[in-house]
């Protein structure tokens, strides 16, 4: 090329050449900072978080999980699921709802990082294969949020996560759950209050009648929401419900985010 070629103005945090209006447009469309620690993401690809943050997540062993709620329980049922039978046949969770994963989920649901749906779904699809949850469950169902919260976000986080996971597993997504009413957020409620808060919130549809399904959710704390969704699916005729969840609450320990360089 001759010396008259225009000068390159620089490379942005996604490893893409740009400048001026182009860079401003890219910064608006694709977050160039890590959703976990806020550092600039220098690697190519829209993963939403830096490698340090992804590598710091404490993953859970599905073989050591309670089949009714995904709580680590040495491979058997936990005390709560032993006392009250779970409507879930098998369950697995990707990681502990703490530290980096908690921060990333918050960024996904409340701070515009819907770009995280893709890497979240990649990890859920991998977990579904390794745990065998995808076997015998040819359809995926997401847990819908309320219309008001979805309007604020611009998307439904549970449904989007289910759709992205199903696509990676090569499975069908079913709109088999309807949310009948809004309910107060679960985060500040006790276990018994959580159960009462979501009682009757969901209604299953005929699309899943007679079929086993893979229910996808983002967070399980007491299991109240997932159980209410699973019971609604069973009332609609679903033969079996497996649960695939991104994060499971255990004991709140550790920092809210890692210190990444």
């Amino acid at each position: 090329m001759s010396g008259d070629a225009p000068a390159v103005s620089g490379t942005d945090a996604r490893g893409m050449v740009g400048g001026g209006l182009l860079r401003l447009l890219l910064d608006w469309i694709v977050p160039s900072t890590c959703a976990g620690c806020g550092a600039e993401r220098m690697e190519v690809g829209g993963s939403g978080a830096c490698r340090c943050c992804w590598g710091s997540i404490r993953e859970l062993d599905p073989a050591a999980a309670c089949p009714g709620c995904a709580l680590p329980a040495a491979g058997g049922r936990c005390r709560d699921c032993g006392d009250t039978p779970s409507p879930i046949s098998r369950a697995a969770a990707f990681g502990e709802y703490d530290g980096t994963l908690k921060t990333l989920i918050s960024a996904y649901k409340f701070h515009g990082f819907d770009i995280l749906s893709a890497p979240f779904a990649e990890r859920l699809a991998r977990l579904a294969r390794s745990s065998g949850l995808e076997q015998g469950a040819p359809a995926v169902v997401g847990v819908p949020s309320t219309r008001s919260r979805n309007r604020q976000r611009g998307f439904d986080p549970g449904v989007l996560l289910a759709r992205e996971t199903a696509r990676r597993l090569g499975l069908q997504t079913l709109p088999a759950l309807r949310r009948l009413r809004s309910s107060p957020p679960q985060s500040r409620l006790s276990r018994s209050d959580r159960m009462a808060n979501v009682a009757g919130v969901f209604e299953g549809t005929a699309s899943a009648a007679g079929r086993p399904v893979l229910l996808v959710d983002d967070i399980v704390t007491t299991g109240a929401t997932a159980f209410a969704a699973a019971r609604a699916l069973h009332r609609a005729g679903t033969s079996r419900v497996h649960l695939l969840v991104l994060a499971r609450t255990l004991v709140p320990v550790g920092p809210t985010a890692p210190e990444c360089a």
Side-chain angles (χ1 to χ4, degrees):
M1 298 291 291
S2 70
D4 295 331
V8 174
S9 58
T11 304
D12 72 4
R14 286 141 299 187
M16 305 172 77
V17 174
L21 292 177
L22 176 59
R23 175 172 292 183
L24 290 175
L25 179 62
L26 289 171
D27 287 342
W28 180 73
I29 295 175
V30 183
S32 59
T33 58
C34 171
C37 65
E40 286 193 352
R41 293 186 294 110
M42 303 307 295
E43 63 269 16
V44 176
S47 65
C50 67
R51 294 176 184 174
C52 172
C53 281
W54 284 121
S56 69
I57 293 174
R58 290 186 286 272
E59 296 187 32
L60 299 177
D61 179 7
C66 169
C69 68
L71 184 72
R77 290 193 175 270
C78 69
R79 184 181 62 184
D80 288 332
C81 288
D83 294 341
T84 304
S86 168
I88 305 293
S89 297
R90 292 181 59 198
F94 165 67
E96 179 181 353
Y97 185 55
D98 184 53
T100 300
L101 187 55
K102 184 176 182 178
T103 301
L104 293 181
I105 292 176
S106 177
Y108 171 60
K109 296 178 69 172
F110 307 115
H111 301 291
F113 276 83
D114 53 327
I115 191 175
L116 286 167
S117 63
F120 281 161
E122 290 283 358
R123 286 155 176 82
L124 284 181
R126 187 172 67 234
L127 174 62
R129 294 189 187 98
S130 65
S131 63
L133 285 184
E134 66 167 340
Q135 298 175 7
V140 177
V141 176
V143 178
S145 185
T146 65
R147 291 183 180 180
S148 60
R149 291 172 197 153
N150 291 339
R151 280 196 298 268
Q152 293 173 351
R153 297 184 182 106
F155 68 102
D156 188 320
V159 173
L160 176 59
L161 188 61
R163 187 167 64 243
E164 291 290 330
T165 302
R167 186 166 65 85
R168 285 159 176 77
L169 290 172
L171 301 178
Q172 178 186 8
T173 306
L174 287 181
L177 276 176
R178 285 196 292 260
R179 193 160 194 134
L180 300 180
R181 60 177 174 82
S182 297
S183 57
Q186 297 274 78
S187 57
R188 294 183 177 86
L189 302 179
S190 66
R191 177 181 174 82
S192 59
D193 288 341
R194 285 171 185 252
M195 296 293 182
N197 189 43
V198 294
V201 163
F202 300 107
E203 178 182 63
T205 70
S207 62
R211 308 176 67 176
V213 300
L214 181 60
L215 183 66
V216 171
D217 203 0
D218 52 6
I219 307 165
V220 166
T221 301
T222 61
T225 301
F227 288 0
R231 291 189 180 105
L233 289 168
H234 282 301
R235 288 194 297 269
T238 300
S239 61
R240 184 172 63 252
V241 179
H242 291 173
L243 175 65
L244 184 66
V245 63
L246 190 60
R248 184 61 166 95
T249 298
L250 308 180
V251 179
V253 295
T256 58
E259 295 182 1
C260 298

